[in-house]
Amino acid sequence: MAYLIKDQAAGIQGIDDIIASNGAPVSSVGDVDQLQLWNGHHRKYWNNDERMSPAPLARLLADSIGRGQRILELGCGSGRDAVFLQEQGHSVTATDFSGFAIEENMRFQGESGVSFFVQDLQAPLAFPDSAFDAVYARLSLHYFSDTVTQNIFREIHRVLRPDGRILFTCRSTDDPLYGEGDELGPDLFRSEGQVRHFFSEEYTRRVLAEESFTIDSLMLRDELIYNHRASVVQGFAHRSQG
């Protein structure tokens, strides 16, 4: 079942609220309207072949956890990974910053069983403590300052059950786009309106350790993103028992 909750203070909003806010800046990094940027990005690439089939990262998660898990996806985009994971027997809640992406997912994949929400990752995650067994985030956590990034990982830790898993990828400092545009902070750049925070292996380890995650695996690898080579950090970790 797909549905939305109107709870702006907690970071989840209804479609009407998102559409109404499209004319106002929403990002705390720079003067760019990141909501309009992402709505436009999803409109441009919505039917791209790359977005039609599940990513290898989603298959890795499916192979690494038992069936019937409660999974939260942060940054679901076209919904392909969320629907795939739901089809594997899991209960998936899929969120995205873009109201356009969530609206399209509800329109075309509303019968998938996935619950779709609009969620601004700069706001607290609007879910109770220990609500999920796993959090999945492919290329969605690398758009924020260090302070906001730490808050996001703290929120992920909160909504995971003890020993729950997180699997994510972020663009790395070895990425071809690293250094392009205006530097906003350490490893943080704005290029053509888009803000990107590039993760080093050292930074990834530090953020996970500070938020009481235990790393199961951490690697640098290359992948294609819209037919362009990208370098990403891939992290697999679990929440501490405390």
Side-chain angles (χ1 to χ4, degrees):
M1 178 180 180
Y3 56 94
L4 291 172
I5 292 177
K6 287 192 177 184
D7 185 357
Q8 295 186 40
I12 287 183
Q13 301 180 34
I15 290 296
D16 292 342
D17 302 313
I18 291 295
I19 293 172
S21 70
N22 275 354
V26 296
S27 174
S28 64
V29 182
D31 298 321
V32 179
D33 185 340
Q34 296 296 306
L35 181 56
Q36 282 193 349
L37 186 151
W38 278 106
N39 283 338
H41 175 85
H42 287 305
R43 286 188 178 95
K44 179 178 179 181
Y45 291 106
W46 195 254
N47 294 316
N48 186 285
D49 289 344
E50 185 179 314
R51 298 164 65 97
M52 295 298 103
S53 58
L57 194 70
R59 298 183 186 277
L60 173 61
L61 181 62
D63 291 341
S64 302
I65 58 176
R67 291 176 64 84
Q69 302 292 292
R70 301 164 298 166
I71 299 174
L72 172 64
E73 181 175 8
L74 303 177
C76 65
S78 67
R80 58 171 181 168
D81 292 344
V83 172
F84 166 76
L85 290 167
Q86 184 81 22
E87 291 172 347
Q88 303 308 300
H90 303 293
S91 176
V92 181
T93 299
T95 69
D96 201 278
F97 183 42
S98 167
F100 171 82
I102 295 302
E103 191 171 43
E104 292 298 288
N105 278 316
M106 292 180 68
R107 179 179 301 157
F108 295 107
Q109 304 185 127
E111 302 303 316
S112 66
V114 175
S115 298
F116 290 103
F117 293 95
V118 173
Q119 170 75 58
D120 181 354
L121 293 184
Q122 295 184 97
L125 298 178
F127 305 101
D129 296 356
S130 304
F132 298 98
D133 302 301
V135 169
Y136 173 80
R138 179 180 178 269
L139 303 174
S140 60
L141 305 181
H142 57 211
Y143 297 107
F144 309 98
S145 68
D146 175 57
T147 299
V148 174
T149 299
Q150 291 184 62
N151 288 339
I152 292 171
F153 277 90
R154 188 172 302 119
E155 279 294 287
I156 291 172
H157 186 278
R158 180 184 65 78
V159 302
L160 277 173
R161 64 165 172 79
D163 209 38
R165 310 292 291 280
I166 175 175
L167 176 62
F168 66 96
T169 55
C170 296
R171 285 187 185 263
S172 81
T173 50
D174 292 336
D175 190 85
L177 296 178
Y178 180 84
E180 288 192 3
D182 301 321
E183 186 172 6
L184 304 178
D187 299 325
L188 184 70
F189 300 88
R190 180 178 56 220
S191 178
E192 298 182 351
Q194 188 171 68
V195 175
R196 296 185 183 91
H197 183 185
F198 298 86
F199 282 38
S200 65
E201 181 178 347
E202 178 184 6
Y203 177 80
T204 307
R205 290 185 181 278
R206 177 170 66 81
V207 169
L208 288 170
E210 287 178 352
E211 303 311 326
S212 300
F213 285 99
T214 299
I215 296 173
D216 299 307
S217 66
L218 186 65
M219 66 179 69
L220 294 174
R221 63 175 179 80
D222 286 351
E223 67 173 68
L224 288 178
I225 301 177
Y226 299 120
N227 296 318
H228 295 283
R229 186 187 74 82
S231 174
V232 300
V233 174
Q234 176 180 303
F236 206 5
H238 64 272
R239 207 201 98 158
S240 62
Q241 294 288 338

